[in-house]
Amino acid sequence: MDKKTTVRNNWTKEEIEEIYHQPLLELIYKASTIHREWHDPSEVQISTLLSIKTGGCPEDCSYCGQAARYHTNIKVQALLPTETVIAHAQKAKDSGSSRFCMAAAWREVRNNRDFDRVIDMVKGVNELGLEVCCTLGMLTEEQAIRLQEAGLYAYNHNLDTSEQYYEEIISTRTFDNRINTINNVRNAGITVCSGGIIGLGETHRDRISMLLTLATMPKHPESVPINALARVAGTPLEDNEKVDAWEMVRMIATARIVMPSSMVRLSAGRIEMNETEQAWCFMAGANSIFTGERETLLVTPNPGVSEDMQMLEKLGLKPMKMKETNCC
């Protein structure tokens, strides 16, 4: 189509509520139509996420097995050697990934030798021709500029949930801390990756409020991950109910409609979804997944790259190739 749906940053909560609560098949149809206006529906970006520093985090995020205060079976791992990370990135590229994300279980970035090593990792992955993403916790604008100068393409910092429900999930930082980091990333000229998690005990209004925050930013996040809670034994949310797949579809479709140019990422929770359920997510506008040879997403189970490639082939989808003009 020559005429695309207009990107808007002035959505109201009532408008998003009306979209979200549409009959599901009508919602999927509208989202799929908009998806085809802005994206190639046959392409899915394959992203690989590697935990470069695991566990021991001082935060109290109720969903996270890497929080030091919870008794989980997750093994603490110091920052990986740079050459190990680069080797993982090369494997990811060889397997079809076009984005490589490095995650460290830190509350915030500190100006020390570990951050210097992360800068070297960013430079090395960038030299492989991959989109480089990091998620390292809170950071200042000056730190973001260092990452940008090293070649960082994207920074992930999820809202997790609505501003109203946020303090029920996390007490060691505020919702405004999240927004400040996103603003620092944007000011440094790095693309923003920010979404949230459903299944935390939030209401539908909380989900809508989270999408409203993202969709009314001066510039939409280039990437919007939609995660289903991965229930980790030993965390406060370990006994929460499994997220229904149709709830994921509804969130993805709504995100696609209100942020049409963004990459909408079907992220955590795929291990509990069958191929049919994932196919509905792609139909609703998801156009990225995380995969990898370790069959984990940070510290929780995730489908492996071979399994994912078979699924994509079955659905007639193909991995998105790197493009010089690719903005997301």
Side-chain angles (χ1 to χ4, degrees), residues 1-267:
M1 297 182 183
D2 293 330
K3 188 176 181 181
K4 293 181 178 179
T5 301
T6 303
V7 174
R8 292 177 50 193
N9 305 82
N10 62 344
W11 292 97
T12 66
K13 192 167 188 177
E14 292 72 25
E15 287 175 320
I16 298 180
E17 282 179 338
E18 185 176 352
I19 292 168
Y20 180 92
H21 288 297
Q22 287 181 88
L24 187 59
L25 292 182
E26 182 67 16
L27 174 62
I28 294 170
Y29 172 75
K30 290 182 178 178
S32 184
T33 300
I34 289 173
H35 181 62
R36 281 158 171 73
E37 293 175 4
W38 283 89
H39 306 273
D40 183 342
S42 70
E43 288 188 341
V44 174
Q45 185 177 44
I46 307 300
S47 304
T48 297
L49 177 60
L50 177 68
S51 180
I52 60 173
K53 185 271 178 184
T54 306
C57 182
E59 299 274 33
D60 69 350
C61 306
S62 299
Y63 54 82
C64 185
Q66 298 196 67
R69 67 192 66 202
Y70 305 138
H71 299 291
T72 68
N73 293 323
I74 292 167
K75 184 179 179 181
V76 175
Q77 168 197 280
L79 190 66
L80 292 174
T82 301
E83 56 270 22
T84 300
V85 173
I86 303 304
H88 278 290
Q90 183 64 60
K91 285 183 181 179
K93 181 179 180 180
D94 294 342
S95 298
S97 289
S98 58
R99 174 178 287 211
F100 188 77
C101 188
M102 297 174 282
W106 292 331
R107 181 178 188 272
E108 59 199 349
V109 173
R110 298 183 183 277
N111 295 314
N112 56 22
R113 290 181 180 177
D114 281 350
F115 186 42
D116 292 340
R117 289 171 59 192
V118 171
I119 294 294
D120 289 338
M121 293 174 192
V122 170
K123 290 177 180 177
V125 176
N126 185 54
E127 288 173 359
L128 295 178
L130 291 163
E131 289 181 2
V132 194
C133 177
C134 279
T135 178
L136 312 169
M138 296 182 288
L139 79 168
T140 65
E141 186 171 334
E142 291 73 22
Q143 291 165 339
I145 290 171
R146 280 195 68 191
L147 288 166
Q148 190 274 336
E149 290 174 345
L152 190 72
Y153 184 82
Y155 195 85
N156 168 261
H157 203 63
N158 289 331
L159 298 181
D160 287 346
T161 189
S162 70
E163 183 175 6
Q164 297 76 19
Y165 192 64
Y166 189 83
E167 63 182 15
E168 299 295 324
I169 301 300
I170 304 162
S171 70
T172 49
R173 74 169 91 173
T174 66
F175 192 81
D176 284 344
N177 290 149
R178 299 262 179 188
I179 297 297
N180 289 341
T181 290
I182 291 170
N183 290 339
N184 291 338
V185 168
R186 182 66 77 194
N187 291 340
I190 300 170
T191 66
V192 172
C193 176
S194 186
I197 308 169
I198 65 173
L200 303 174
E202 77 287 347
T203 65
H204 290 290
R205 289 182 67 85
D206 288 315
R207 297 174 186 178
I208 291 163
S209 179
M210 183 189 72
L211 291 175
L212 177 67
T213 299
L214 295 169
T216 54
M217 288 179 174
K219 186 175 182 180
H220 294 163
E222 284 80 0
S223 300
V224 181
I226 303 296
N227 299 275
L229 173 67
R231 297 162 293 172
V232 179
T235 64
L237 302 185
E238 66 174 309
D239 294 324
N240 279 28
E241 292 184 3
K242 174 183 175 294
V243 173
D244 185 89
W246 296 118
E247 296 295 303
M248 286 289 284
V249 172
R250 187 174 292 278
M251 276 293 288
I252 286 167
T254 306
R256 170 53 66 217
I257 291 171
V258 299
M259 293 173 280
S261 66
S262 301
M263 299 291 290
V264 177
R265 303 186 182 278
L266 173 58
S267 300

